[in-house]
Amino acid sequence: MIVEGVRVVDAGVVVRDINGNVLNSGDTVMVVKYLKVKDSSTPLKQGTAIRNIRLVEGDDEHIEGSSDKIKGLVLKVCFLRKA
């Protein structure tokens, strides 16, 4: 479904980053805060790029993606900004 040039995931849910920019599947985002990752000894540092994100169906707070060192991340959009 497309509404006014903005991609909508499910029933009017629009995913936005911390600055209010609309996120789409395939975008690249940057981490804005140092984050510890469960079950990993390497943290996500501020400025780390998460490439080729996927939007979670029916959820406007989480995205799926991978960094260079950690694969299969699920992150909250309140810690991300569009690159």
Side-chain angles (χ1 to χ4, degrees), residues 25-58:
S25 291
D27 285 347
T28 299
V29 294
M30 304 290 275
V31 178
V32 297
K33 181 181 175 184
Y34 179 91
L35 298 173
K36 292 182 182 179
V37 179
K38 288 184 179 180
D39 299 330
S40 177
S41 61
T42 57
L44 287 177
K45 296 181 180 178
Q46 182 178 357
T48 302
I50 308 296
R51 292 181 173 78
N52 198 19
I53 65 169
R54 291 174 304 282
L55 303 179
V56 178
E57 286 291 325

Side-chain angles (χ1 to χ4, degrees), residues 8-28:
V8 179
V9 178
D10 180 36
V13 177
V14 177
V15 180
R16 296 185 182 270
D17 69 355
I18 195 168
N19 294 328
N21 297 322
V22 176
L23 297 176
N24 296 311
S25 291
D27 285 347
T28 299

Side-chain angles (χ1 to χ4, degrees), residues 37 40 42 44 54 64-74:
V37 179
S40 177
T42 57
L44 287 177
R54 291 174 304 282
E64 297 175 357
S66 298
S67 70
D68 293 335
K69 297 180 182 182
I70 305 172
K71 307 298 181 204
L73 292 168
V74 177

